[in-house]
Amino acid sequence: MNYRAKLLYAFIAFFLLYSFSYSQCNESREIVVCNMQTIDGDSTPGPDGIINLYTELGIPSGTGTWQARPRYAGTLDQSTGNVRTWEFLNATTNITREEYRFELFTAACGNTPAIVADLILGPYAGEAAPPQANGANAEICETDRLDLFETLTQNEFIPAPHLNGRWEYIGSSSGANFKGSFDLNGSTFSAVVPKNDDDRSTDNEIFELRYTVSNTTDCTANSKGETIVKVSVVRQVDPGTGNLIEICEEDITAGNWDTDINLNDDAYLVGEDKEGYWLSELDLTGQLENEQDSIINIREIYDDLIANRGARFGCASYSFTYFVPQRSAVCTERRASVSFQIFEELRPFEQSPGIPELCINQIPSTYDLYNLIDFEDDGTNNFSYNDDNYVSWRQVSGPADLGILTQPNSLSDFIPDYDYHLGTINLNAGVPGSYTFEYAVAPKINCTGANEILDPFVTDSLDLTFDLTPCSVLSTLITIELLPFDYAGENTEDLIFCNTDTSINLVSLLDTNGRDTIVPGGVWRDSIGNPIQNEFVFPVIDSVQRFNFTYTTTTAKSCTDSANLKFAVYKQANAGDGTDITLCSDDLNVTLFDLLTQTPDTIGRWTGPFGYESEDHRGVFDANNTMLPVLGQGTYTYLIEGNEGCPDSDQATVNVTIIDPVPIGEDIFVSYCILDGRVNLYDVLDRQTTRTGVFRDIENTAALSADGVVTFEQLPNPNNEVNKIYNFQYVVPNLAPCDESTLNVEVTIIDLPEPVVPNPQFCILDAKRLDDIEVDVDNFNWYATLESDTPITDNPILLDNDVYYIANVDVDNCESDRVTVTVDILNTGERFANGDICTLEFQDGVSPDNNNQNDTFSLFVEEEFNIPEAFPDFNLQIFNRYGTLVYEADKNTEEFRGESNTSVRLGDDLPSGTYFYIFNPNFDNNLPMQGSFYLAR
């Protein structure tokens, strides 16, 4: 392109952009795309389904910003204006023309779109998948269901079909002769193919279907709105239907199955495809030799069963499998089974020899008829039948209904694990006579099933409890004889008599049923079996006596009857004889019942002064038990009420007199320091305590005098206890029966050990005080003299050869003996006992820069020296290198900070350099010291 052409092109583009920028906003446009499969939006060969909104509308690229509905935002590239049309699922219809809408926003139109463009898509029904060898686009088995969209194809150059179309059936390869059926539901398709006459051929049918997507008025010839596909449906192979044949053992032993049978006969397998065969490898009987074999013999199978399991085999099932292989890759193989079930036949059973005779009143009143049956026993197996789900009883005859336990009529009333097989009857419900019952067994008992209940008496084959097995129900009759008994009366109890009676007739005491008469001549026995006379004489008793006797009658055939007789014989009330008693008020512990004589009964209660009533016969008083009342003086009455058998009451009395002891108070607890010396124990007694008693040295200390004085130094303390306790007793005599009045006096003597103080030796420079002396106890007092009463409290400074006195002290202000302590203060230059020297070393530099390090010429250094305290009269002089005095100090002068305090340069900051000092302690033998330091600024 030459320069002029380029200039012209640029002018045209500018003109279009300028014109568009100033055009009317909210302009409606439509973009119509009819041929979906040919859309190509780039230079790469092959369609891709991409269109450009700028190009389609003739708008310069980059004009404004495109937006789409949120659901279609993924199809739009806002930076380029490209739209991926193949991602839209549906073709545009006349009622969905605004579905695919895009809006262009420019600065000139603000929030109002400059252009609203609706994309109109022509219908596209897709491309059919490549045909297979049979010309069909897809193949399925008749047991499957096909989504017809699977017959269409798509890739990077072929779009997916629009989904708003409709599938319809056109026809099949058999045309009007097709005898099968098909089902088209939306896009899913299935069909049933009938069996051909040729059983060895692969039966299939090819169906033709059309997919149509509705067209719009905008696209007529340039769109693909219809696609036709073919579907091949293959018939599934059919192995037929196998039957279940049930055989009873008795049919086999009778010879009915002793012949070969062909499993392919319709009696066993019906409707099978003929190309199948029997799977001999699955045959556990060995009857089938190979896949061409279909002949079996039931008698041979039975003989093997008996040889392996024996006579008690229950039931056995045998299955033979017919196999038809698959004809097509889309269908599968199929199998069918023919089953034979052999049932063990019931072995006969009957009543044991003899008819049992049962007493009608026997205990227990229930009787199990099952115990009267003899079942077959071949020496190895006992063919007894007791499964409650398969047996039942019924009464056949008899003068009364004995309520035999049978299976219920309703399955819902059946109780699992209930002993229906026992045939339980109630003998007490009958009358004397002969009774017959029938016991029956359902043959399926040998082959029980889960949750199954069968009644052998049911004959209706439609009844759920009917046994459908081919074997026969077996039953037998059971007969019994019920015998009468001699009536012995009814159980009788709660009879009451008094021991003042003499004897009673026992039979006359028994209750009756109001119908029968008690038969005399029976036997009475007590609870342990000893015989008792009918005329019973009361024994001598101490309390109520209860008796339990049994009256028994016996018939000629040994039927017995009995009745229990229970009665009580009460004893006439006996309260015993009373007495008088005197008690001391400090010992009011007594049991009133123990004071009675003549062996009183223990069922009475006491009453007495102050409304007293006892809880039992004892009448217990215990002064130490706060739950009991306090015994008071007066008369206490023991009363025994009459009882059920003996209504007359009896009573006895106890008269109580109480004497008070002399009151002397409670025990006393006192403490003294051993330095107190002594104590008179009469002085510690309460003022209200009588002084008529004496003190006892109960621990034999030998420190108690006759007049009650205890001397502390005489008290023994072999273990040197600090707080030693000594007990003494104060005793006052009383009138009988009161014991002497006593109280204990517990005396604690506090004897503190002397404190241990190591020899105090300090350097004079430390300026130590009294509190700096180490002591081995926590609490102590310092004294100025041995006899001083006032402790030192001002913590004086220690001087050489000072003498102090120290005593150990406790919280009660008891002291130990005082210990003398002499102070040793070393002057400078003297040595400690360990060899260290008491010496003074001043710092070698001063830097007054306020960094808290050597800001002054220090006269106090913690843990090293304290000049103002150690030498209160000291003198310090500082000279410059020319010998001029620049600073002079005593204990009242501020420390040297590099400033002069002499008249020569008063208040001046001294220059950096070396300065000299002379320190004079002015104390005893401590000599002056001199040295130098450097002043740094």
Side-chain angles (χ1 to χ4, degrees):
M1 185 182 294
N2 58 32
Y3 172 75
R4 290 184 178 181
K6 291 181 179 180
L7 182 63
L8 178 61
Y9 179 79
F11 174 77
I12 293 172
F14 174 79
F15 175 77
L16 292 174
L17 178 63
Y18 177 84
S19 300
F20 179 76
S21 299
Y22 289 93
S23 62
Q24 183 179 1
C25 298
N26 207 17
E27 179 181 355
S28 296
R29 300 280 193 92
E30 283 188 348
I31 301 172
V32 179
V33 178
C34 291
N35 196 342
M36 294 293 299
Q37 67 269 35
T38 61
I39 301 173
D40 187 7
D42 56 25
S43 59
T44 303
D48 56 18
I50 298 174
I51 66 170
N52 186 275
L53 296 176
Y54 292 117
T55 301
E56 297 291 334
L57 297 173
I59 301 173
S61 298
T63 302
T65 301
W66 286 101
Q67 291 186 6
R69 292 181 178 179
R71 74 178 71 173
Y72 302 127
T75 67
L76 171 67
D77 187 338
Q78 290 181 312
S79 63
T80 63
N82 285 341
V83 177
R84 295 186 293 278
T85 63
W86 286 0
E87 295 186 14
F88 297 119
L89 300 180
N90 297 324
T92 303
T93 65
N94 290 331
I95 61 176
T96 62
R97 297 184 69 84
E98 299 178 358
E99 179 69 16
Y100 307 128
R101 172 164 289 184
F102 300 90
E103 297 176 331
L104 178 66
F105 290 86
T106 63
C109 292
N111 294 330
T112 302
I115 292 178
V116 178
D118 291 324
L119 177 62
I120 309 300
L121 296 182
Y124 179 61
E127 292 289 338
Q132 302 179 17
N134 57 5
N137 303 103
E139 185 174 57
I140 62 172
C141 188
E142 67 176 351
T143 57
D144 300 328
R145 193 167 187 86
L146 175 68
D147 187 339
L148 292 173
F149 282 109
E150 296 180 13
T151 64
L152 304 178
T153 186
Q154 68 177 93
N155 55 42
E156 59 181 327
F157 301 117
I158 300 176
H162 287 138
L163 300 182
N164 57 335
R166 181 175 63 87
W167 287 93
E168 58 183 330
Y169 174 78
I170 298 177
S172 69
S173 55
S174 298
N177 295 323
F178 178 60
K179 303 302 182 181
S181 63
F182 70 88
D183 179 47
L184 175 61
N185 185 0
S187 65
T188 63
F189 178 79
S190 65
V192 176
V193 179
K195 182 185 298 186
N196 290 330
D197 294 336
D198 182 4
D199 289 323
R200 299 299 298 177
S201 66
T202 301
D203 300 332
N204 74 300
E205 187 79 13
I206 296 178
F207 298 88
E208 190 171 8
L209 301 106
R210 178 169 45 235
Y211 182 59
T212 304
V213 181
S214 300
N215 208 337
T216 64
T217 56
D218 303 87
C219 298
T220 56
N222 293 327
S223 61
K224 184 179 181 180
E226 178 180 295
T227 298
I228 295 176
V229 298
K230 293 182 178 181
V231 178
S232 174
V233 180
V234 179
R235 182 180 69 83
Q236 177 62 274
V237 294
D238 186 2
T241 302
N243 293 323
L244 170 64
I245 295 89
E246 295 180 333
I247 306 171
C248 186
E249 180 184 14
E250 62 186 5
D251 290 340
I252 299 176
T253 57
N256 296 334
W257 287 90
D258 193 5
T259 184
D260 292 340
I261 60 174
N262 191 330
L263 294 175
N264 288 324
D265 290 347
D266 288 347
Y268 310 108
L269 184 67
V270 181
E272 74 276 14
D273 288 344
K274 300 304 182 183
E275 69 268 27
Y277 54 89
W278 295 93
L279 296 178
S280 58
E281 64 270 19
L282 300 182
D283 174 23
L284 300 180
T285 67
Q287 290 287 310
L288 299 176
E289 296 182 358
N290 49 54
E291 65 180 39
Q292 285 80 34
D293 189 3
S294 63
I295 305 300
I296 66 170
N297 187 290
I298 296 300
R299 179 62 193 230
E300 293 177 0
I301 295 175
Y302 169 77
D303 291 341
D304 289 340
L305 172 64
I306 297 302
N308 293 325
R309 293 198 200 176
R312 292 310 311 261
F313 64 85
C315 61
S317 295
Y318 303 92
S319 293
F320 301 90
T321 302
Y322 185 71
F323 176 80
V324 182
Q326 66 185 58
R327 294 175 174 175
S328 169
V330 296
C331 292
T332 61
E333 63 185 37
R334 287 296 176 89
R335 304 182 182 197
S337 293
V338 174
S339 297
F340 296 87
Q341 189 169 24
I342 302 175
F343 295 87
E344 176 186 318
E345 66 176 322
L346 296 176
R347 300 301 195 274
F349 45 84
E350 61 184 357
Q351 181 174 353
S352 302
I355 296 178
E357 295 179 336
L358 305 175
C359 296
I360 200 170
N361 67 327
Q362 72 177 39
I363 297 176
S365 62
T366 58
Y367 185 81
D368 297 334
L369 297 176
Y370 183 81
N371 297 326
L372 301 178
I373 302 175
D374 278 346
F375 293 96
E376 182 177 314
D377 191 329
D378 62 5
T380 301
N381 303 288
N382 180 274
F383 296 90
S384 59
Y385 305 110
N386 56 7
D387 191 326
D388 297 309
N389 291 38
Y390 298 90
V391 302
S392 189
W393 288 87
R394 62 184 175 186
Q395 183 172 336
V396 177
S397 64
D401 184 0
L402 299 187
I404 189 168
L405 181 62
T406 63
Q407 281 195 10
N409 294 328
S410 172
L411 292 178
S412 60
D413 295 332
F414 189 89
I415 303 175
D417 301 324
Y418 202 60
D419 294 329
Y420 293 109
H421 74 281
L422 292 179
T424 303
I425 58 175
N426 183 7
L427 301 178
N428 293 168
V431 296
S434 179
Y435 294 82
T436 299
F437 303 89
E438 185 178 11
Y439 170 73
V441 181
K444 200 175 181 181
I445 192 171
N446 291 317
C447 186
T448 58
N451 299 321
E452 183 179 47
I453 300 171
L454 301 180
D455 188 343
F457 292 122
V458 172
T459 58
D460 183 0
S461 61
L462 299 180
D463 193 304
L464 294 178
T465 63
F466 178 74
D467 190 342
L468 295 172
T469 58
C471 297
S472 303
V473 172
L474 288 187
S475 67
T476 189
L477 297 178
I478 303 296
T479 301
I480 64 172
E481 185 76 21
L482 288 190
L483 302 177
F485 63 95
D486 289 341
Y487 182 59
E490 303 298 323
N491 292 336
T492 305
E493 56 186 25
D494 298 332
L495 300 181
I496 297 173
F497 303 95
C498 185
N499 65 345
T500 55
D501 297 331
T502 57
S503 64
I504 54 175
N505 184 289
L506 296 180
V507 170
S508 65
L509 302 179
L510 291 172
D511 291 335
T512 67
N513 57 18
R515 178 182 67 254
D516 299 318
T517 301
I518 298 176
V519 176
V523 177
W524 283 99
R525 295 186 183 277
D526 61 16
S527 57
I528 60 175
N530 296 322
I532 303 296
Q533 295 298 319
N534 186 54
E535 288 295 326
F536 179 69
V537 178
F538 292 159
V540 177
I541 58 175
D542 294 329
S543 61
V544 60
Q545 185 76 38
R546 303 186 185 279
F547 299 92
N548 186 356
F549 298 149
T550 301
Y551 181 64
T552 304
T553 61
T554 305
T555 66
K557 288 194 174 184
S558 301
C559 286
T560 63
D561 191 27
S562 62
N564 290 331
L565 173 64
K566 295 181 181 180
F567 61 92
V569 178
Y570 285 80
K571 183 178 179 294
Q572 178 66 42
N574 177 21
D577 293 335
T579 187
D580 297 335
I581 186 173
T582 301
L583 301 173
C584 186
S585 63
D586 64 355
D587 185 17
L588 298 180
N589 300 331
V590 68
T591 299
L592 296 176
F593 186 79
D594 294 343
L595 303 178
L596 298 176
T597 62
Q598 301 301 320
T599 315
D601 296 338
T602 59
I603 59 175
R605 292 291 186 271
W606 291 91
T607 59
F610 314 110
Y612 171 74
E613 293 183 1
S614 68
E615 294 183 354
D616 55 26
H617 72 282
R618 296 182 300 160
V620 177
F621 291 90
D622 186 347
N624 297 321
N625 189 341
T626 58
M627 302 300 293
L628 296 176
V630 178
L631 180 68
Q633 183 169 290
T635 300
Y636 292 82
T637 301
Y638 182 62
L639 175 64
I640 300 179
E641 299 286 351
N643 52 56
E644 296 178 76
C646 306
D648 296 334
S649 63
D650 192 20
Q651 67 179 34
T653 59
V654 173
N655 296 310
V656 177
T657 302
I658 299 176
I659 297 177
D660 292 326
V662 176
I664 61 173
E666 301 296 329
D667 291 346
I668 298 172
F669 304 88
V670 292
S671 296
Y672 296 97
C673 302
I674 194 170
L675 297 180
D676 293 337
R678 55 187 286 172
V679 63
N680 190 321
L681 296 181
Y682 283 100
D683 293 339
V684 303
L685 294 175
D686 187 89
R687 296 181 64 86
Q688 283 73 35
T689 300
T690 178
R691 269 29 178 198
T692 59
V694 296
F695 281 96
R696 291 177 182 168
D697 188 0
I698 59 177
E699 294 182 355
N700 298 319
T701 65
L704 176 65
S705 67
D707 55 359
V709 175
V710 178
T711 302
F712 297 160
E713 290 186 353
Q714 297 177 2
L715 291 170
N717 189 6
N719 297 323
N720 296 320
E721 299 180 41
V722 174
N723 297 305
K724 176 67 175 176
I725 298 174
Y726 302 90
N727 290 287
F728 303 92
Q729 189 176 67
Y730 183 60
V731 181
V732 177
N734 286 305
L735 295 175
C738 292
D739 296 330
E740 58 189 12
S741 298
T742 63
L743 64 80
N744 289 332
V745 179
E746 181 184 282
V747 179
T748 301
I749 302 301
I750 304 172
D751 185 5
L752 298 175
E754 295 178 355
V756 176
V757 182
N759 183 30
Q761 190 178 48
F762 304 104
C763 179
I764 192 172
L765 297 173
D766 297 332
K768 295 293 186 179
R769 294 184 176 273
L770 185 60
D771 287 349
D772 293 324
I773 297 177
E774 294 183 1
V775 182
D776 69 336
V777 295
D778 294 331
N779 299 310
F780 53 86
N781 287 335
W782 287 103
Y783 295 95
T785 67
L786 192 62
E787 296 81 12
S788 175
D789 294 330
T790 305
I792 298 173
T793 60
D794 57 356
N795 194 24
I797 194 168
L798 299 177
L799 301 177
D800 192 31
N801 292 321
D802 281 349
V803 178
Y804 295 96
Y805 302 90
I806 187 171
N808 192 359
V809 64
D810 66 2
V811 294
D812 297 321
N813 213 28
C814 280
E815 288 190 349
S816 67
D817 289 336
R818 297 181 184 181
V819 176
T820 303
V821 178
T822 303
V823 179
D824 183 11
I825 302 296
L826 302 179
N827 292 320
T828 57
E830 294 182 339
R831 291 184 180 275
F832 285 91
N834 62 4
D836 294 340
I837 299 176
C838 175
T839 182
L840 175 62
E841 293 182 1
F842 287 112
Q843 66 202 69
D844 58 2
V846 176
S847 56
D849 53 7
N850 294 323
N851 67 350
N852 294 324
Q853 294 183 359
N854 295 326
D855 287 339
T856 67
F857 189 81
S858 299
L859 299 177
F860 172 73
V861 178
E862 191 172 358
E863 303 296 335
E864 292 189 21
F865 54 77
N866 188 341
I867 299 301
E869 290 286 344
F871 305 119
D873 296 327
F874 79 90
N875 177 262
L876 174 65
Q877 292 179 319
I878 298 178
F879 303 89
N880 63 17
R881 62 180 176 171
Y882 304 108
T884 302
L885 179 67
V886 295
Y887 176 82
E888 187 171 14
D890 57 18
K891 69 179 297 182
N892 298 317
T893 306
E894 292 185 3
E895 292 182 342
F896 176 70
R897 301 181 60 87
E899 299 176 355
S900 175
N901 69 349
T902 64
S903 59
V904 177
R905 301 183 64 177
L906 184 63
D908 290 349
D909 288 336
L910 298 175
S912 299
T914 301
Y915 289 83
F916 304 88
Y917 64 84
I918 298 174
F919 173 73
N920 190 350
N922 292 324
F923 187 82
D924 292 344
N925 298 323
N926 293 276
L927 299 178
M929 299 176 57
Q930 63 182 13
S932 64
F933 64 88
Y934 185 81
L935 175 65
R937 290 190 178 277

